[in-house]
Amino acid sequence: EVQLLESGGGLVQPGGSLRLSCAVSGFTFSTYGMSWVRQAPEKGLEWVSGISGSDGSTYYADSVKGRFTISRDTSKNTLHLQMNSLRAEDTAVYYCAQGFGGVFGSTLDYWGQGTLVTVSS
Amino acid sequence: DIQMTQSPSSLSASVGDRVTITCRASQSIDNNLNWYQQKLGKAPNLLIHGASTLQSGVPSRFSGRGSGTDFTLTISSLQPEDFATYYCQQRSRAPLTFGGGTKVEIK
């Protein structure tokens, strides 16, 4: 059974940093692309970042480019999202998702339950 | 970036109704279009990929059509468990982009 479990969310001040983690099980982590998708309160879905399963290439939304870094630790079956220079508009539930197809798994098949990030002073 | 526009943003319907949601891409994406269902407080669930391929386990009352820039999601006979928000998403190129969502409510 495929499982994804996010952690690391919480309250952080503007300008601060946070590192999200997504522990995965039930599939061969290194062969699938992974993404982070966020949802601000009462808003729609926004794709944030993706990483290719084949070569580790990374992709970002313009809104987070230069501030967020996606990475994976295949030895621990864990996906990370390092978030720096956080802004109020980064407040959202962050989901990790396993994908298939395309360059980095652009069809999002399995999702975690989400972790809430709140950026506020 | 490819912009995805969904309509309507919300609709009210009754159990048994046929419901159609439209999604339009700002440029051609061939058949690179996915549909997700999200219930309140839950993660999204993949319904349809490649514009028309039903994901395993998804009831056959859901169907998708379209190619290029115009796509539709149809629920042939709305069931109580179908009241949710639906999102389209283009998978043609990065950055992946979602439509704004269509909330399906009980009439």
Side-chain angles (χ1 to χ4, degrees), chain A residues 3-74:
Chain A
Q3 292 189 327
L4 298 90
L5 185 63
E6 302 97 336
S7 61
L11 175 64
V12 61
Q13 292 188 339
S17 297
L18 213 54
R19 189 192 197 204
L20 304 184
S21 297
C22 174
V24 310
S25 61
F27 64 99
T28 306
F29 183 53
S30 58
T31 63
Y32 283 88
M34 299 291 295
S35 283
W36 289 96
V37 176
R38 68 185 180 184
Q39 187 168 35
E42 307 301 318
K43 299 295 185 182
L45 301 171
E46 180 188 16
W47 177 82
V48 172
S49 182
I51 186 166
S52 168
S54 58
D55 64 4
S57 297
T58 58
Y59 305 83
Y60 298 94
D62 288 345
S63 58
V64 306
K65 200 172 294 183
R67 300 188 299 124
F68 290 12
T69 302
I70 190 172
S71 63
R72 62 182 182 178
D73 184 340
T74 54

Side-chain angles (χ1 to χ4, degrees), chain A residues 93-115:
Chain A
V93 173
Y94 284 73
Y95 296 100
C96 66
Q98 178 221 64
F100 65 88
V103 177
F104 60 93
S106 49
T107 292
L108 306 173
D109 193 4
Y110 291 96
W111 296 64
Q113 86 291 346
T115 187

